[in-house]
């Protein structure tokens, strides 16, 4: 008798301890995500647009998944931490169902983000004579079309859809960063990248509006990261004009000004959408300020490796980001402890950096207006 009671007590203790971390902090029953490599959980890899890309093998994924999943990081991305905080499984890449006949259940959400994706499509860049080579043509419009295709499998009637989407979270971005990255990395002038800002914002506004008209009620639209602190872009713009670097963090000021311009215009655009669609809750996620915390005070946040150097790639140049050695490619090395680095492979961040940004979102600190 006594033993039984002890067993029951012990058992219930185990249950309560195990269920504690499962209590969700965010109350959403499904998540739909649009974007680029910052949030792609496998679409680019599945798409086959590039045959056996380096993101399809270790060390990608080494920190958390122990294998490559198509995520452009050593582990989880911001969207994975958002899914965890909502008590939901990691969001399935949409192309998993299209490219294989494996039937995927998307009732808890779908991820349409594709690494390398731009907000604008190929013709937009072509018309402007930018002649850039895109890694993928799965732009924001295509991702939106995928959503419309999937929608009838999620809900049928209008009232049914209203009920379903009332409990859904839509993440629109980060997207648009690549619209600047492609021309900048192809050595087009800085001004030409700057001139794209209004067109990038228009496209994001257009698709965000279209999603609301399709039934989205709660939306998070993230801005761009401080790209002036990105290892590949620092390497590309590497120059000896000391005054162009921020003395506080050694990031490249003109590029950060570009990100800030994009973010300011995005915030203004979202304000207009709030007027137009008062029934929708449209939140801005401030990735820029959240990431700036660790670029300004790296050791305070555990980034005791060099915060501007890539963890994975070649040990070369000021940023470990010279284009002759790429992470996962020939001659590449990986730092011992990625959790002490913010930059993973030159262009993408580490799980530790993404965790920092996600925590800032989940706490409500870098999201406005707040969730409730
Ligand atoms: C990865 O491997 C570690 C160590 O073996 C293990 O603790 C962890 O659960 C694994 N992660 C996954 C997602 O399988
Ligand atoms: C998927 O199913 C279709 C029709 O049933 C078939 O033609 C196709 O070969 C299958 N594809 C794969 C990847 O199994
Ligand atoms: C994207 O579309 C353009 C124009 O149709 C084409 O030339 C290019 O090869 C495509 N790129 C990819 C990665 O599919
Ligand atoms: C988005 O842009 C397309 C093409 O210009 C247009 O047809 C559509 O009406 C726009 N959608 C919204 C919701 O503004």
């Amino acid at each position: 008798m006594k033993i039984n009671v002890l067993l029951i007590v012990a058992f219930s203790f185990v249950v309560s301890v195990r269920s504690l971390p499962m209590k969700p902090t965010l109350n959403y029953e499904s998540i739909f995500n649009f974007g680029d490599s910052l949030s792609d959980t496998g679409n680019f890899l599945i798409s086959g647009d590039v045959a056996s890309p380096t993101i399809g093998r270790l060390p990608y994924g080494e920190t958390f998944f122990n294998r490559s999943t198509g995520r452009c990081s050593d582990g989880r991305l911001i969207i994975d931490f958002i899914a965890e905080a909502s008590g939901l499984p990691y969001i399935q890449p949409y192309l998993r169902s299209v490219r294989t006949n494996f039937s995927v259940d998307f009732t808890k959400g779908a991820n349409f983000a594709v690494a390398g994706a731009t907000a604008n499509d190929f013709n937009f860049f072509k018309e402007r004579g930018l002649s850039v080579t895109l890694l993928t043509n799965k732009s924001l419009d295509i991702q939106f079309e995928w959503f419309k295709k999937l929608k009838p499998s999620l809900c049928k009637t209008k009232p049914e859809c209203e009920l379903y989407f009332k409990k859904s979270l839509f993440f629109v971005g980060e997207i648009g960063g690549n619209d600047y990255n492609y021309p900048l990395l192809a050595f087009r002038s800085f001004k030409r990248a700057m001139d794209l800002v209004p067109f990038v914002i228009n496209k994001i506004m257009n698709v965000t509006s279209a999603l609301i008209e399709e039934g989205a009620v709660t939306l998070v639209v993230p801005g761009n990261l401080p790209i002036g602190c990105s290892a590949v872009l620092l390497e590309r713009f590497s120059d000896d004009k000391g005054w162009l670097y921020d003395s506080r963090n050694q990031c490249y000021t003109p590029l950060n000004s570009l990100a800030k311009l994009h973010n300011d215009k995005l915030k203004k655009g979202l304000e207009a959408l709030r007027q137009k669609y008062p029934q929708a809750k449209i939140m801005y996620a401030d990735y820029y300020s959240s990431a700036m915390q660790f670029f300004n005070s790296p050791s305070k946040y555990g980034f005791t490796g060099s915060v501007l150097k890539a963890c994975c790639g070649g040990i070369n140049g000021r940023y470990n980001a010279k284009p002759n050695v790429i992470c996962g490619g020939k001659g590449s090395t990986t730092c011992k402890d990625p959790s002490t680095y913010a930059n993973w492979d030159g262009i993408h961040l580490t799980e530790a950096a993404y965790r920092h940004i996600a925590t800032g979102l989940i706490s409500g600190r870098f999201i406005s207006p707040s969730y409730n």
Side-chain angles (χ1 to χ4, degrees):
M1 220 32 205
K2 216 170 178 182
I3 288 166
N4 275 345
V5 170
L6 273 179
L7 270 177
I8 287 162
V9 170
F11 181 69
S12 59
F13 178 71
V14 167
V15 167
S16 62
V17 165
R18 288 190 58 189
S19 58
L20 261 182
M22 297 306 285
K23 190 183 177 301
T25 23
L26 299 178
N27 280 315
Y28 303 104
E29 293 181 7
S30 56
I31 300 174
F32 296 93
N33 183 73
F34 303 79
D36 54 27
S37 55
L38 258 57
S39 60
D40 180 0
T41 53
N43 285 315
F44 181 79
L45 191 59
I46 298 167
S47 78
D49 279 350
V50 168
S52 61
T54 48
I55 62 158
R57 58 185 101 112
L58 288 167
Y60 284 90
E62 66 165 26
T63 298
F64 184 78
F65 298 99
N66 303 324
R67 62 183 177 90
S68 74
T69 59
R71 286 170 176 79
C72 298
S73 186
D74 57 313
R76 287 162 288 182
L77 310 177
I78 297 167
I79 197 70
D80 294 315
F81 291 111
I82 301 291
E84 284 182 6
S86 309
L88 293 170
Y90 299 127
I91 317 175
Q92 294 281 342
Y94 171 73
L95 290 182
R96 182 162 291 160
S97 67
V98 175
R99 286 301 157 105
T100 68
N101 284 342
F102 183 67
S103 89
V104 181
D105 178 9
F106 288 117
T107 52
K108 289 184 176 161
N111 193 352
F112 305 99
V114 183
T118 42
N120 291 289
D121 62 16
F122 179 81
N123 283 330
F124 171 86
F125 298 96
K126 196 178 164 198
E127 281 160 15
R128 277 160 188 76
L130 283 162
S131 55
V132 291
T133 307
L134 306 183
L135 288 170
T136 180
N137 284 330
K138 314 299 193 291
S139 63
L140 192 51
D141 278 342
I142 302 283
Q143 296 178 26
F144 173 64
E145 290 305 317
W146 289 347
F147 170 73
K148 282 207 293 190
K149 234 186 222 169
L150 181 69
K151 195 179 153 190
S153 75
L154 303 168
C155 58
K156 302 265 186 297
T157 64
K158 195 158 188 238
E160 200 190 325
C161 288
E162 265 173 24
L163 203 65
Y164 178 78
F165 288 128
K166 217 171 78 185
K167 297 170 196 153
S168 302
L169 178 63
F170 283 76
F171 248 81
V172 190
E174 176 281 327
I175 184 77
N178 284 331
D179 293 50
Y180 314 120
N181 289 340
Y182 283 113
L184 289 173
L185 291 171
F187 290 82
R188 305 291 169 263
S189 78
F190 188 77
K191 182 177 181 304
R192 295 189 75 187
M194 207 82 161
D195 288 344
L196 300 177
V197 173
F199 300 97
V200 174
I201 301 302
N202 273 350
K203 179 57 76 182
I204 299 172
M205 292 306 116
N206 177 273
V207 173
T208 305
S209 306
L211 281 169
I212 295 169
E213 290 179 8
E214 287 293 327
V217 188
T218 309
L219 304 98
V220 172
V221 185
N224 204 347
L225 288 164
I227 58 172
C229 310
S230 154
V232 282
L233 287 169
L234 279 165
E235 180 60 46
R236 146 73 180 89
F237 281 90
S238 211
D239 65 34
D240 47 17
K241 299 186 191 72
W243 66 90
L244 290 178
Y245 293 84
D246 186 328
S247 58
R248 176 139 189 219
N249 46 45
Q250 296 309 310
C251 298
Y252 193 64
T253 304
L255 287 169
N256 277 345
S257 302
L258 171 60
K260 276 196 232 169
L261 178 70
H262 169 95
N263 292 346
D264 286 344
K265 291 215 186 297
L266 180 62
K267 281 187 266 187
K268 288 208 179 81
L270 295 180
E271 192 43 51
L273 289 194
R274 288 183 195 111
Q275 308 292 320
K276 189 171 171 204
Y277 303 104
Q279 83 281 10
K281 181 154 179 84
I282 306 167
M283 294 172 274
Y284 171 73
D286 192 354
Y287 285 12
Y288 187 102
S289 304
S290 186
M292 222 26 157
Q293 286 188 313
F294 58 72
F295 286 120
N296 281 338
S297 317
S299 52
K300 184 173 167 193
Y301 298 98
F303 298 102
T304 48
S306 173
V307 81
L308 296 180
K309 276 190 188 191
C311 160
C312 180
I315 302 188
N316 52 23
R318 270 165 82 185
Y319 309 105
N320 288 354
K322 282 197 185 289
N324 57 338
V325 182
I326 58 167
C327 176
K330 207 170 158 232
S332 121
T333 59
T334 309
C335 67
K336 240 203 188 108
D337 185 0
S339 75
T340 62
Y341 279 71
N343 194 306
W344 167 243
D345 59 2
I347 201 150
H348 307 104
L349 303 185
T350 56
E351 174 181 279
Y354 287 139
R355 179 202 293 278
H356 176 90
I357 297 170
T359 305
L361 292 192
I362 295 159
S363 71
R365 187 147 176 235
F366 288 98
I367 203 147
S368 67
S370 64
Y371 298 101
N372 296 309

